[in-house]
Amino acid sequence: MSERKPLMAANWKMHKNRAETREFVEAFIGLEPPLDQVEVVICPPFTSLEAAVSTCEGSGIQVAAQNMHQAQSGAFTGEVSAAMLSDLGVHAVVLGHSERRELFGESDESLSEKVPAALEAGLTPILCVGETEAERSGGKTDEVLANQVRADLANVSGGDLAQIVIAYEPIWAIGTGQTATPEQAQEACGLIRALLAGRSDEGADALRILYGGSMKPENAAELVSLEDVDGGLVGGASLDPEDFAAIASSAASA
Ligand code: 13P
């Protein structure tokens, strides 16, 4: 099995202006998180990306956007392209977050175009998948995850899988304080890896799978120690530099 470096990503959603972003990054770096052992990505809103890129420069911390459009340019009011993010010095992009799917009509079809467009621009796509509470209680979790992974990665070759990050985020665990159990997280992440192994054993082995949903300093180490969980996509707890540094450190020691 390949050694997958743990990855901890801070999804700030619609929080933090430029000054707050700089303040966070400076405080976080001051806490000396083990950046040699864990890859850290922060995902601020569009307006704070440039401040994040300049403050993170030279630290090893990477910066990701929270969405992008699949086209290179064009008449798409309110949108930004992968090339525009690259031009800013952004390294990665979160795609298909459940909030975008549920509130803004993000579809599997557009994601199947966004993932290769991100790769082409040199951005690491962090593709989010996950089931609702009703889908889980109806025994549909495996089917939902399989459908999302298949559809969203339909235009990605087996050889490109290693460049992608998948975040398994059960929707019922997001912002609820109700974290998935280690068994639930491992089962879902193991299923995702097994599905992708059908396309490329090597790619599936190298690709990192994150868990997201009420991850906190208290539960991160256990989740990240699971065989198929290689890190986390953290919402609420990533807004505080101390909490996020504690989470990053637990990933390094897991
Ligand atoms: P919380 O960590 O606040 O549950 O959010 C998870 C999430 O949606 C990260 O993308």
Side-chain angles (χ1 to χ4, degrees):
M1 193 184 94
S2 72
E3 276 297 312
R4 296 184 293 266
K5 190 172 183 184
L7 192 163
M8 274 298 166
N11 179 9
W12 290 351
K13 309 189 179 184
M14 200 168 73
H15 295 283
K16 295 197 191 289
N17 62 21
R18 291 176 303 160
E20 290 161 342
T21 295
R22 287 187 209 104
E23 213 174 290
F24 175 98
V25 172
E26 279 156 16
F28 181 74
I29 292 172
L31 293 162
E32 301 184 3
L35 296 170
D36 51 332
Q37 295 164 64
V38 56
E39 229 170 277
V40 170
V41 181
I42 60 169
C43 319
F46 285 127
T47 48
S48 293
L49 284 172
E50 197 163 12
V53 167
S54 63
T55 320
C56 288
E57 204 177 339
S59 69
I61 300 170
Q62 299 181 29
V63 178
Q66 299 174 14
N67 183 34
M68 53 165 248
H69 194 274
Q70 57 271 38
Q72 287 186 349
S73 61
F76 302 106
T77 301
E79 295 290 323
V80 302
S81 71
M84 290 168 184
L85 295 173
S86 263
D87 177 55
L88 265 189
V90 164
H91 308 93
V93 59
V94 176
L95 294 174
H97 191 281
S98 59
E99 285 150 18
R100 296 220 57 86
R101 293 181 191 255
E102 286 189 340
L103 304 172
F104 303 103
E106 179 78 271
S107 66
D108 287 320
E109 196 186 349
S110 68
L111 289 165
S112 74
E113 295 175 13
K114 288 185 179 192
V115 175
L119 287 170
E120 198 173 320
L123 299 175
T124 301
I126 303 175
L127 174 70
C128 304
V129 296
E131 81 287 0
T132 62
E133 188 158 33
E135 287 163 346
R136 176 163 284 272
S137 58
K140 297 236 182 316
T141 301
D142 292 7
E143 182 188 330
V144 168
L145 295 179
N147 286 341
Q148 288 177 337
V149 168
R150 252 187 237 116
D152 301 350
L153 299 182
N155 299 319
V156 172
S157 69
D160 275 341
L161 285 180
Q163 313 307 321
I164 291 172
V165 174
I166 294 187
Y168 167 60
E169 298 206 310
I171 295 169
W172 46 271
I174 296 178
T176 59
Q178 195 194 337
T179 315
T181 64
E183 292 73 27
Q184 289 170 327
Q186 169 54 34
E187 197 184 345
C189 295
L191 171 89
I192 293 168
R193 199 179 305 283
L195 268 170
L196 295 172
R199 294 167 61 172
S200 160
D201 267 333
E202 247 180 30
D205 193 33
L207 165 145
R208 284 170 300 176
I209 304 179
L210 314 180
Y211 167 80
S214 300
M215 190 179 258
K216 305 182 249 292
E218 305 82 67
N219 59 31
E222 185 175 26
L223 289 160
V224 173
S225 68
L226 299 167
E227 188 182 344
D228 287 300
V229 177
D230 308 307
L233 183 56
V234 190
S238 77
L239 295 170
D240 178 83
E242 291 196 8
D243 281 352
F244 190 55
I247 292 173
S249 300
S250 59
S253 48

